[in-house]
Amino acid sequence: MRSHLHQVGVHTIDMSEYSQTSHLLFCSGLLLCNHPGICVFPLSVSYRSIMQMLREKKTLLTEILSADSSYILQNVQQEEIVTNRDYNNLNIPNQSNEKTVINLLDKVMNKGDTKSYELVNLLQKPHMIKNYPRLEEIFNNHTEPSDHTFNPAPTIPIPCTDNSDLETVVTGGDEVSLYEMTSVPRGLCLIINNEIFDKLSERTGSNKDAVDLANIFSRMKFRVVMCKDKTAVEIPSVLKDLPKHGDAFVCCILSHGKKEGVCGTDGTVVPTIDILSPFNGTNCSILVEKPKLFFIQACRGKDVQKGVPVNKKPKVEGTDMELDTDDGQVQDYTLPLYSDYLVFMANVDQYISIRSPTSGSWFIQSLCGQLEKSCTRGKNIYEILTGVKAAVSKKKGDLRIKDANGGYGYEVVKQSPDSRDTLTKMLIFPAETKHSS
């Protein structure tokens, strides 16, 4: 059976059969920042589907939205949450506002978690809050993205990996310090999930990656901010207007991409340096000497990376050689402008990255899996990165490619995640990543 693949690039790739995955799950109690389309996931030890939340809040939602049933109907139609046929069936003359809203909520919930999430996302947009101010009773919305807008950490004790003996990591006689990772929340995890584009192909399956990232980083005690479908102008604006707090910063970008950077929903490229620069030592002093991690799921070119045969060879022992410099000078303690960064990309330069419309991308799913099993064991970030690279490099699939004659054929495709960093300490996430019972 062929793998079910989707190219994270500018070409539409044919899909074949693939196993179904579970419904998308989102945390309840969403907050709103001052950027449209941003959902903030509160630190939580439990997860419920959006549909569950809609059921619990159905009576209150009905009461709120019944104040102007025609407005919500128009908006769900414009956002394509319901079809035109659904709209006509719901918009019945002389029917009470309350009955119209009840039928609408039932219709959306019957469509499943994805449409339910789209409805909740719509209800948090500024124009909806303006028309239905009481929606804040449900979503606890705030307008300023500062630290005080976040819900406090839960009072329920969360078991953590014991790091009392991890003050230093000794390698070759030299002590390597650990990044401090004690604040709760640990810091902010921003997820920019670009799925729908003006001209480029839809990135089906990206929601699966976004939800899995939100879940794992929330369980690692990060405050998670979800940002959906941003243009090349909006992406830098979002990055510059984030609350800065905690012991670390994580940014996950899921989008189409090119060699120069990632694409906004308008197809324009945001250079990678423009994503990194808002957090350097000059522009963000509060994150100096704190790890800034960027995980980017996007193509970096149009080439397809092929596999090569590997023959097992006996291990060859080498000799160690010492290298030194001649000047013997000791420098004052300073930090480079781009110190304490880690950038982990889905593939090496010039090559496409692979995504399944049902189970998500090779890169992000492997990353979530490694974080899930490695953090509770006290593994450092380099061991996690190596685990991701190993897992992805072993994957292969048949990609439908158009040949020079206009015909179609299948080509075996491989992928090699690429990392670079300027970390100055050892990074270990001392967080429990298992679901609490």
Side-chain angles (χ1 to χ4, degrees):
M1 181 180 296
R2 296 187 184 278
S3 299
H4 192 174
L5 303 178
H6 195 290
Q7 177 182 338
V8 186
V10 296
H11 306 294
T12 300
I13 303 300
D14 221 21
M15 307 302 166
S16 53
E17 299 175 357
Y18 203 77
S19 60
Q20 295 295 318
T21 59
S22 59
H23 290 298
L24 302 181
L25 298 178
F26 289 83
C27 304
S28 61
L30 300 181
L31 303 175
L32 182 70
C33 283
N34 65 350
H35 282 281
I38 298 183
C39 296
V40 180
F41 289 71
L43 193 66
S44 176
V45 294
S46 64
Y47 300 85
R48 297 175 296 174
S49 68
I50 286 292
M51 193 185 299
Q52 173 82 15
M53 188 274 287
L54 285 176
R55 290 195 185 101
E56 293 178 356
K57 303 293 185 180
K58 183 179 178 181
T59 300
L60 181 56
L61 272 173
T62 300
E63 179 182 343
I64 294 171
L65 299 177
S66 293
D68 190 351
S69 62
S70 61
Y71 188 76
I72 183 63
L73 270 183
Q74 291 170 5
N75 278 271
V76 294
Q77 181 193 31
Q78 291 171 2
E79 296 290 333
E80 298 183 349
I81 298 172
V82 299
T83 64
N84 290 335
R85 181 177 180 180
D86 291 334
Y87 175 81
N88 292 330
N89 290 335
L90 291 166
N91 191 25
I92 301 174
N94 300 322
Q95 180 173 260
S96 69
N97 288 338
E98 182 179 5
K99 182 63 175 176
T100 299
V101 172
I102 291 173
N103 290 342
L104 169 62
L105 294 176
D106 288 341
K107 173 66 67 175
V108 174
M109 287 189 287
N110 286 337
K111 289 178 179 288
D113 276 337
T114 301
K115 290 298 181 182
S116 296
Y117 164 65
E118 291 176 2
L119 174 61
V120 170
N121 196 39
L122 169 66
L123 293 177
Q124 295 178 90
K125 292 185 176 180
H127 69 279
M128 298 299 293
I129 300 294
K130 182 177 180 180
N131 198 62
Y132 303 104
R134 290 186 61 199
L135 284 174
E136 292 188 352
E137 297 176 26
I138 296 176
F139 300 113
N140 189 26
N141 284 294
H142 299 273
T143 57
E144 294 297 328
S146 56
D147 287 349
H148 68 270
T149 65
F150 294 112
N151 288 344
T155 55
I156 302 173
I158 301 177
C160 298
T161 302
D162 181 10
N163 68 334
S164 58
D165 296 327
L166 297 179
E167 293 181 0
T168 59
V169 177
V170 180
T171 57
D174 295 326
E175 291 187 353
V176 179
S177 300
L178 276 176
Y179 284 109
E180 185 174 343
M181 204 62 56
T182 57
S183 67
V184 179
R186 298 283 183 241
L188 192 69
C189 172
L190 169 68
I191 302 172
I192 297 179
N193 176 25
N194 282 352
E195 181 188 23
I196 308 298
F197 293 76
D198 295 341
K199 296 181 180 180
L200 303 179
S201 60
E202 179 178 338
R203 298 185 61 256
T204 310
S206 188
N207 281 339
K208 176 69 165 58
D209 284 345
V211 172
D212 287 349
L213 285 168
N215 284 346
I216 188 65
F217 278 105
S218 182
R219 298 204 300 277
M220 290 165 61
K221 301 184 182 179
F222 278 82
R223 186 76 67 197
V224 177
V225 175
M226 184 78 75
C227 183
K228 187 72 182 290
D229 294 336
K230 292 300 172 185
T231 65
V233 172
E234 292 171 330
I235 290 174
S237 178
V238 169
L239 293 172
K240 293 175 182 177
D241 201 21
L242 287 171
K244 313 294 193 302
H245 68 282
D247 290 331
F249 172 73
V250 176
C251 177
C252 306
I253 300 182
L254 318 174
S255 190
H256 287 306
K258 297 181 181 180
K259 181 178 180 179
E260 299 79 12
V262 299
C263 296
T265 54
D266 54 353
T268 303
V269 174
V270 180
T272 303
I273 190 63
D274 289 351
I275 295 170
L276 305 181
S277 62
F279 306 95
N280 67 31
T282 298
N283 295 327
C284 188
S285 60
I286 196 171
L287 289 178
V288 168
E289 290 196 283
K290 296 179 180 180
K292 298 161 280 286
L293 313 181
F294 294 80
F295 301 105
I296 301 177
Q297 166 61 38
C299 284
R300 301 181 68 187
K302 297 182 180 180
D303 292 346
V304 176
Q305 188 173 177
K306 302 177 182 179
V308 294
V310 177
N311 297 321
K312 291 186 177 180
K313 298 180 180 179
K315 186 176 180 180
V316 179
E317 297 293 337
T319 58
D320 293 332
M321 297 183 65
E322 292 187 4
L323 300 177
D324 206 346
T325 57
D326 292 327
D327 57 14
Q329 305 241 346
V330 178
Q331 297 292 326
D332 292 335
Y333 179 66
T334 59
L335 286 173
L337 186 63
Y338 282 88
S339 180
D340 303 293
Y341 274 82
L342 182 144
V343 180
F344 198 17
M345 296 188 174
N347 209 346
V348 293
D349 197 11
Q350 299 183 4
Y351 291 99
I352 63 171
S353 301
I354 302 301
R355 169 176 33 86
S356 161
T358 54
S359 60
S361 64
W362 288 358
F363 174 62
I364 294 299
Q365 291 303 309
S366 296
L367 174 63
C368 291
Q370 289 296 319
L371 288 170
E372 178 89 40
K373 70 180 183 180
S374 297
C375 287
T376 53
R377 302 174 185 173
K379 299 289 186 181
N380 67 62
I381 191 66
Y382 295 112
E383 293 173 292
I384 294 172
L385 299 187
T386 301
V388 174
K389 294 174 184 178
V392 174
S393 68
K394 293 175 183 177
K395 295 179 181 292
K396 72 173 182 178
D398 296 322
L399 195 62
R400 190 169 185 258
I401 301 293
K402 189 174 183 179
D403 59 32
N405 299 322
Y408 286 89
Y410 287 90
E411 186 171 353
V412 175
V413 61
K414 300 286 289 182
Q415 188 171 322
S416 302
D418 183 22
S419 64
R420 54 191 174 92
D421 73 90
T422 57
L423 298 180
T424 59
K425 302 177 184 179
M426 194 64 71
L427 175 59
I428 296 175
F429 293 111
E432 174 63 65
T433 59
K434 294 180 180 179
H435 288 287
S436 299
S437 57

